[in-house]
Amino acid sequence: MDLVLIRHAQPQVAAGLCYGALDLALDEPVSPAPARMLAALDGLVPQRILCSTLRRAQATAALLAAGHALVPEPDARLRELDFGNWEGQAWDAVPRADLDAWAADLLHAAPHGGESAAAAMARVAAWADALPADSPDCVWAVTHAGPMRMLAAHWLGVPLATTLGWELAFGASCRFALGGGAARLRWWNRI
């Protein structure tokens, strides 16, 4: 299976604001433009388009699906990490002690009262493991930076800390070839 993960376009959000599960619309005009996102996909034609249940991902999926006669299929397992009571706050307003506690155990700590990275990774890994990997289909999944990095770590067998450092722009895509019990990364952060 060819699986293309696509990060949603730029949402309407102030710089420096913590948002994960915060349900945001896309910025207007949409950036990057859907034509630019499609051009980066090397002419791959999807048989299905999946997406997170958050508006910014659903709206991006709808824009990309317009030329393919497909209806995006929302799946809550593709949602971004829930930052609990940090949602909607400026990162600068989050107490330093809470940030330090989170940094000390990035995978398991959840000082914000939301979801831990380990819980979010288990959620997206369960989604990934349910895919029919040996299918000849091409599937696009419009999601968020967190799940994309988590899926890369899961499929490539590297620590999440490794993929957290990988650049991932709004509207960027990552292509994986799944099958034969292995995943191969074809590209990362293409836009």
Side-chain angles (χ1 to χ4, degrees):
M1 166 186 288
D2 262 326
L3 181 65
V4 179
L5 302 174
I6 303 165
R7 186 176 183 195
H8 59 79
Q10 171 71 49
Q12 290 178 356
V13 65
L17 202 69
C18 175
Y19 67 97
L22 201 59
D23 203 11
L24 303 166
L26 291 180
D27 206 7
E28 292 292 337
V30 174
S31 178
R36 182 173 169 202
M37 287 187 269
L38 288 167
L41 299 175
D42 276 352
L44 289 172
V45 177
Q47 281 72 47
R48 295 174 67 196
I49 299 178
L50 312 175
C51 64
S52 159
T53 54
L54 295 174
R55 281 190 299 165
R56 59 192 183 265
Q58 287 188 36
T60 302
L63 291 168
L64 297 175
H68 294 285
L70 294 172
V71 175
E73 304 168 42
D75 191 318
R77 295 173 294 179
L78 292 171
R79 291 172 65 97
E80 182 60 277
L81 188 138
D82 181 349
F83 287 100
N85 59 28
W86 294 357
E87 293 283 346
Q89 286 191 50
W91 282 105
D92 292 347
V94 175
R96 184 75 219 174
D98 287 352
L99 289 172
D100 290 344
W102 189 39
D105 187 5
L106 192 60
L107 272 178
H108 301 100
H112 43 63
E115 188 176 30
S116 71
M121 191 157 175
R123 170 173 47 83
V124 298
W127 172 84
D129 292 343
L131 291 171
D134 290 322
S135 166
D137 290 346
C138 177
V139 174
W140 295 355
V142 180
T143 185
H144 311 271
M148 290 173 73
R149 290 182 173 109
M150 291 171 186
L151 287 166
H154 175 69
W155 282 323
L156 300 175
V158 299
L160 179 59
T162 299
T163 62
L164 288 177
W166 295 359
E167 184 178 346
L168 193 55
F170 290 114
S173 64
C174 310
R175 180 180 175 192
F176 288 87
L178 306 178
R184 292 171 305 286
L185 178 60
R186 300 287 191 210
W187 72 64
W188 182 266
N189 196 38
R190 183 178 283 181
I191 186 73

